[in-house]
């Protein structure tokens, strides 16, 4: 049975053409920097996003951590949103492994960090304080797209105050496609960016960190220390390259499907649905309905992280027909359900 899996866009299966590219990849030992497929991917990604150099790593958690550890040293701090992945969902790696103090700041409803808050949280040069070195933003954040003029203002402010800027761009391609702008345009203002190939872009494994050449060279020391030095990684890089070449513009379909799904579900009285901007959205489900709903969906081949606050995610293995099937399954369940 083929599952309709709405838990995340990380669940995508490599397509036949992607698998063929992986099988055909010419490989070497990337710790010696002589895997030609990895090198090609790194150069291609750097050029695509407008950076000097790139580094392929096993996960976005690792590319973010490498970036934080390269930007900041022991006793430094970075400004980050309370809801940001690098702060909330990466096991505290910056503090645990990097000796970097996070300064979390409340995210606004649109996912941004208020400019006044950024300014207020930058510490003066005083021995009592950690040294504020870096502003880290995330785009998309919880499926929301940061506004380009906000990014320009926030990164200019950070630079004017002597801070560097990093973007957790796990889903930055979704932000670009949503706005109809280029990948170069969407990352403007950030000194470094981490991009996940294993989310909506559909590769099985991997992220790239992009930035200045010297920064990436320094970052490779941390990557090795963190256990991210891979050998014949060209097999994986071939999939990542294929994803960047073929699966960027099609993200628009995922956005469209998310909107269709949200619209369909918003017709059900028991649910409260927030309309998506990209491929991720949230809905509130009565607590008492969650367990029987989860079971009912599972019996129909639908997987979702059902809870009082449920996140649904569309991706390249979710078709329009799947969306219609999911809406019908929810409708049937709630027809019969009484609190
Ligand atoms: C998934 C994700 C990451 C990290 O990705 P992994 O490859 O799972 O480690 C980082 N940031 C955001 C916003 C993500 O969604």
């Amino acid at each position: 049975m083929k599952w309709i899996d709405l838990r995340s866009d990380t669940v995508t299966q490599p397509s036949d053409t992607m698998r063929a590219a992986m099988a055909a990849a010419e490989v070497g030992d990337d710790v010696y920097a002589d895997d030609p497929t990895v090198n090609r991917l790194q150069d291609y990604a750097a050029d695509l996003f407008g950076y000097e150099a790139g580094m392929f790593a096993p996960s976005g958690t690792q590319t973010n951590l490498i970036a934080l550890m390269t930007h900041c040293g022991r006793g430094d701090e970075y400004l980050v949103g309370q809801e940001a992945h690098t702060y909330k969902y990466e096991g505290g790696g910056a503090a645990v492994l990097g000796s970097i103090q996070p300064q979390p700041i409340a995210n606004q409803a649109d996912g941004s960090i208020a400019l006044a808050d950024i300014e207020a949280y930058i510490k003066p040069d005083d021995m009592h304080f950690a040294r504020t070195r870096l502003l880290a933003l995330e785009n998309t954040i919880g499926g929301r797209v940061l506004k380009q003029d906000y990014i320009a203002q926030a990164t200019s402010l950070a630079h004017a105050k002597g801070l560097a800027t990093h973007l957790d761009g796990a889903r930055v391609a979704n932000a670009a496609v949503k706005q109809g702008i280029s990948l170069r345009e969407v990352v403007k203002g950030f000194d470094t960016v981490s991009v996940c190939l294993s989310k909506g872009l559909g590769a099985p494994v991997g992220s790239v960190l992009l930035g200045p050449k010297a920064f990436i060279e320094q970052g490779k020391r941390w990557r090795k220390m963190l256990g991210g030095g891979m050998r014949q990684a060209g097999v994986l890089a071939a999939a990542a390259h294929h994803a960047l070449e073929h699966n960027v513009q099609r993200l628009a379909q995922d956005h469209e499907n998310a909107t269709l799904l949200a619209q369909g579900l918003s017709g059900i009285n028991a649910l409260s649905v927030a309309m998506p901007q990209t491929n991720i959205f949230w809905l509130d489900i009565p607590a008492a309905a969650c367990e029987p709903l989860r079971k009912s969906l599972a019996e129909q081949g639908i997987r979702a992280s059902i809870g009082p606050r449920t996140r649904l995610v569309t991706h390249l293995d979710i078709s329009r027909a799947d969306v219609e099937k999911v809406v019908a399954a929810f409708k049937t369940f709630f027809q019969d359900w009484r609190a």
Side-chain angles (χ1 to χ4, degrees), residues 59-61 64 85 90 138 140 168 170-171 196 198-199 207:
S59 72
T61 299
N64 276 327
H85 203 278
E90 294 181 9
E138 184 175 316
T140 63
D168 177 355
R171 296 187 180 84
C196 285
S198 62
K199 302 270 169 86
S207 282

Side-chain angles (χ1 to χ4, degrees), residues 81-85 88-89 105-113 137-148 150-151 167-176 178-179 186 255 274-282 309 311-312:
Q82 282 280 3
E83 300 170 25
H85 203 278
K88 198 173 172 184
Y89 300 102
I105 305 175
N107 287 97
Q108 302 297 304
D110 66 0
S112 67
I113 303 172
L137 297 178
E138 184 175 316
N139 197 16
T140 63
I141 176 162
R144 292 160 299 187
V145 178
L146 294 183
K147 293 190 178 59
Q148 287 297 112
Y150 164 74
I151 292 173
L167 177 68
D168 177 355
R171 296 187 180 84
V172 74
N174 294 82
K178 172 68 186 190
Q179 300 174 93
V186 77
H255 303 164
M275 280 301 144
Q277 294 180 23
T278 56
N279 68 323
I280 300 179
F281 66 99
W282 303 80
R309 190 134 179 80
R311 184 185 81 156
L312 296 182

Side-chain angles (χ1 to χ4, degrees), residues 84-162:
H85 203 278
T86 65
Y87 175 62
K88 198 173 172 184
Y89 300 102
E90 294 181 9
V96 176
L97 301 171
S99 300
I100 301 158
Q101 166 169 281
Q103 170 61 71
I105 305 175
N107 287 97
Q108 302 297 304
D110 66 0
S112 67
I113 303 172
L115 298 176
D117 286 344
I118 293 173
E119 193 152 7
Y121 278 104
I122 297 172
K123 316 278 184 296
D125 184 6
D126 176 316
M127 69 163 82
H128 292 85
F129 301 131
R131 288 167 302 231
T132 314
R133 289 284 198 217
L134 175 73
L135 171 67
L137 297 178
E138 184 175 316
N139 197 16
T140 63
I141 176 162
R144 292 160 299 187
V145 178
L146 294 183
K147 293 190 178 59
Q148 287 297 112
D149 61 348
Y150 164 74
I151 292 173
Q153 288 169 341
T155 54
S156 300
L157 171 63
H159 288 144
K161 299 284 181 183

Side-chain angles (χ1 to χ4, degrees), residues 54-86:
M55 171 196 326
F56 186 51
S59 72
T61 299
Q62 190 171 94
T63 43
N64 276 327
L65 180 57
I66 291 167
L68 295 174
M69 290 176 74
T70 308
H71 282 295
C72 303
R74 186 178 185 207
D76 292 346
E77 76 169 4
Y78 79 113
L79 307 183
V80 63
Q82 282 280 3
E83 300 170 25
H85 203 278
T86 65

